[in-house]
Amino acid sequence: RSPMVLWSDRIMEEDMKGWWHGHRIQERAYEIWEKAGRPEGKAVEHWLRAEAEIAAEERGLEEELKREAEGVV
């Protein structure tokens, strides 16, 4: 495979990761909004909370994978 094809594959992979990450945040923000009783004017607050929750989950997963690779788990 040529370097251009490999580079193109990498760009597409990063685009999908970005899309998937944004989609997870959107779904979590919607869940937060629903659990809060669907209040008006809280979209930014719910989005920021969703971002924080997803980031915490991702950090936890990274740590778990690291411990597993080190044979700690």
Side-chain angles (χ1 to χ4, degrees):
R1 295 175 56 144
S2 77
M4 268 316 263
V5 170
L6 294 173
W7 180 78
S8 177
D9 288 350
R10 179 74 176 147
I11 294 295
M12 287 174 48
E13 181 180 322
E14 289 300 316
D15 284 349
M16 284 303 296
K17 284 181 185 176
W19 177 87
W20 183 245
H21 181 77
H23 184 69
R24 287 185 67 209
I25 294 170
Q26 181 180 7
E27 285 185 336
R28 180 68 56 86
Y30 184 81
E31 290 171 8
I32 293 168
W33 174 71
E34 281 195 319
K35 287 179 182 177
R38 300 180 176 192
E40 294 292 324
K42 299 283 188 173
V44 172
E45 179 183 323
H46 294 158
W47 188 271
L48 294 174
R49 180 174 159 198
E51 281 183 325
E53 289 179 8
I54 297 295
E57 286 176 9
E58 290 172 351
R59 279 192 306 274
L61 179 58
E62 288 173 5
E63 287 298 316
E64 184 177 334
L65 291 173
K66 182 179 174 184
R67 286 192 305 272
E68 186 175 297
E70 293 170 349
V72 177
V73 177

